[in-house]
Amino acid sequence: MHPKAILDACAELVREALVFDHPADAVAARFFRTHKGLGPRERATLTDTLFAVLRRKLQYEHFAPSGSGPRERRLAILGFGGPRDFLFSALTPQEKEWLQQCETVATADLLDRHRHNLPEWLAQPLRAQLGQEFWPLADSLLGPAPLDLRVNQLSAKRAEVQQELKAAGIEAQPTPHSPWGLRVQGKPSLNRVDAFTRGAVEVQDEGSQLLALLLDARRGEMVTDFCAGAGGKTLAIGASMRNTGRLYAFDTSAHRLESLKPRLGRSGLSNVHPVAIAHERDERIKRLAGKMDRVLVDAPCSGTGTLRRHPDLKWRQNQAAVDALAAIQLAVLQSAARLLKPGGRLVYATCSLLTQENEAIAAAFSAAQPAFMPVPVAQELARLKVAGPQALCAGDDGRFLRLWPHRHATDGFFAAIWQRQD
């Protein structure tokens, strides 16, 4: 397509996404369905442009008023994800001059909000939590996330899959902490790679893999993934159980569970039982009370740990939404705890960076449930032979898993573990 047509399409996609009535990836998917003439390269350019605008929205909105033309076009120019010479061939002389002037502004001369590109409701608690580490975190959230794969231990070995990918032209290295993970260089298309189509690998962030590892589900057990979603952790747990026992995948969204089915088919697992529930007090849950050996609660959360992948979340969320989520998180955790038998393990997890959704929920649960004894995560990671367990943890004696994009090159994750005593 002509450069001007590509830039116009970028501007239109930015305009649609900045309404914030749907997730950005859903907006992009809908846009591509209605613009079928766009090829893979054009789609990649549009997607990269949109995500650059969402990541640096405050900075680009600061520069935009000094330019001319529609606002969305100015934002698309600033975030354009294609080659620079391609972009310049689509610009007017006035736009070229404006863009060059914007690029001469030193980042250090900008206001803090134009540097970190976070809404104040999020920037303030992160500053309080991290101190001088706030800026490395903020910088890390302005870039894309790496592509991690989990090797299906039921049917493949990591070293062999690594060599198979290399033969297919895909460079990958073992993840530093997860024993199941490979970190891929670049952004290769995996849909036609044999290791992917036959279920030897699944796309899954290393941090998410560690959550499944912490559950430590074993052969023949009764296990529940309480908020399974599309089932990434469910598949990892099922493989760690060696396809034995019974693994329930609960979720309130039947649509999300439907997307698990093709992945389940590739995985070779037959011990997984997806169940759509109405809410955390559903009768189907009550019938299983006291029967589970292990329960994972990857609770609904703000998703602030995934801002490299979903930068629109910081503009679609607010403090009121986080407050409401915190109440839901505690209720879900308490309901899920009823499933455990004495001696059973409970893991609470989020992909949030915020103390309000993490340590505060764990503390409230412990105060209300004295029968559940906290288990230090660092101790468990060491027992599971995960490298550098203390560096992955926070709290007294490594009480919690705390993964940060700028420290660990994973999404932001939190986890706490309890064992039921009676």
Side-chain angles (χ1 to χ4, degrees), residues 12 19 30 111 160 199 203 229 237 245 273 282 284 310 324 328 350 397 406 411:
E12 177 59 21
V19 177
R30 182 182 64 197
L111 295 174
E160 294 174 359
V203 175
I237 295 165
H273 302 272
D282 193 291
R284 281 164 288 192
H310 306 291
I328 293 170
T350 76
D397 301 320
H406 68 291
D411 286 346

Side-chain angles (χ1 to χ4, degrees), residues 58 112-113 116-131 134-135 137-138 141 304 307 314 319 354:
L58 296 181
D112 281 2
R113 65 192 300 265
H116 61 59
N117 289 277
L118 296 169
E120 191 56 30
W121 70 266
L122 182 55
Q124 191 277 328
L126 290 177
R127 279 181 185 274
Q129 199 174 336
L130 288 171
F134 169 78
W135 285 108
L137 170 66
L141 296 178
T304 49
L307 289 180
K314 59 187 174 182
Q319 187 58 53
L354 298 171

Side-chain angles (χ1 to χ4, degrees), residues 48-385:
D48 289 347
T49 301
L50 172 60
F51 276 64
V53 170
L54 292 169
R55 290 188 179 109
R56 297 181 179 270
K57 179 173 174 285
L58 296 181
Q59 179 182 335
Y60 291 169
E61 287 178 338
H62 171 64
F63 289 144
S66 60
S68 59
R71 168 176 172 266
E72 293 79 13
R73 179 180 173 87
R74 284 172 274 158
L75 296 175
I77 291 170
L78 290 165
F80 190 72
R84 186 176 175 81
D85 57 349
F86 189 90
L87 170 63
F88 261 56
S89 66
L91 301 182
T92 66
Q94 186 180 6
E95 287 173 330
K96 293 176 186 176
E97 182 180 359
W98 167 72
L99 178 58
Q100 290 169 332
Q101 289 174 345
C102 292
E103 292 173 341
T104 63
V105 177
T107 302
D109 293 336
L110 296 171
L111 295 174
D112 281 2
R113 65 192 300 265
H114 300 143
R115 290 174 56 198
H116 61 59
N117 289 277
L118 296 169
E120 191 56 30
W121 70 266
L122 182 55
Q124 191 277 328
L126 290 177
R127 279 181 185 274
Q129 199 174 336
L130 288 171
Q132 290 302 310
E133 266 197 275
F134 169 78
W135 285 108
L137 170 66
D139 289 343
S140 75
L141 296 178
L142 294 176
L147 174 60
D148 291 348
L149 305 177
R150 177 186 56 80
V151 175
N152 182 356
Q153 57 180 320
L154 191 65
S155 62
K157 294 182 178 179
R158 180 162 69 170
E160 294 174 359
V161 172
Q162 182 184 9
Q163 290 304 312
E164 181 181 347
L165 292 174
K166 185 174 183 179
I170 298 173
E171 292 293 329
Q173 298 298 322
T175 46
H177 303 292
S178 169
W180 307 327
L182 289 169
R183 181 155 294 159
V184 175
Q185 294 182 16
K187 296 188 290 185
S189 176
L190 294 172
N191 291 337
R192 297 179 182 176
V193 176
D194 185 59
F196 180 79
T197 58
R198 74 171 192 272
V201 294
E202 277 281 342
V203 175
Q204 187 178 18
D205 185 83
E206 183 185 20
S208 179
Q209 296 177 38
L210 290 176
L211 298 184
L213 188 72
L214 282 174
L215 192 64
D216 196 23
R218 300 174 184 179
R219 291 176 181 265
E221 290 186 329
M222 294 274 284
V223 180
T224 294
D225 185 354
F226 201 77
C227 306
K233 285 176 282 296
T234 306
L235 298 176
I237 295 165
S240 70
M241 296 168 69
R242 307 306 297 177
N243 203 21
T244 65
R246 195 169 183 87
L247 173 55
Y248 291 96
F250 288 134
D251 203 89
T252 56
S253 171
H255 176 71
R256 283 197 294 265
L257 289 176
E258 278 295 316
S259 65
L260 167 60
K261 290 183 178 179
R263 303 171 73 191
L264 195 56
R266 289 197 305 268
S267 73
L269 293 171
S270 58
N271 64 337
V272 177
H273 302 272
V275 181
I277 57 175
H279 45 68
E280 73 272 10
R281 300 175 306 282
D282 193 291
E283 282 298 323
R284 281 164 288 192
I285 295 171
K286 291 181 180 179
R287 288 198 291 268
L288 294 172
K291 297 180 179 179
M292 293 295 118
D293 295 287
R294 299 172 195 271
V295 175
L296 171 63
V297 180
D298 183 12
C301 71
S302 63
T304 49
T306 68
L307 289 180
R308 296 177 303 172
R309 304 179 195 278
H310 306 291
D312 55 307
L313 283 175
K314 59 187 174 182
W315 311 119
R316 295 174 55 232
Q317 301 271 15
N318 54 44
Q319 187 58 53
V322 174
D323 293 343
L325 282 167
I328 293 170
Q329 287 153 358
L330 184 57
V332 168
L333 181 57
Q334 290 175 332
S335 291
R338 300 188 185 106
L339 292 171
L340 282 161
K341 62 174 65 170
R345 168 169 292 196
L346 176 65
V347 176
Y348 171 76
T350 76
C351 54
S352 170
L353 301 174
L354 298 171
T355 301
Q356 182 180 357
E357 299 181 86
N358 296 328
E359 288 89 347
I361 300 298
F365 177 80
S366 289
Q369 302 284 349
F372 285 79
M373 181 65 64
V375 178
V377 171
Q379 166 190 305
E380 287 302 290
L381 290 173
R383 184 180 64 80
L384 293 164
K385 297 182 170 52

Side-chain angles (χ1 to χ4, degrees), residues 24-46:
D25 53 0
V27 173
R30 182 182 64 197
F31 187 89
F32 296 148
R33 284 196 300 270
T34 58
H35 295 76
K36 298 186 185 299
L38 294 168
R41 186 175 299 178
E42 289 86 0
R43 291 183 182 207
T45 297
L46 265 69

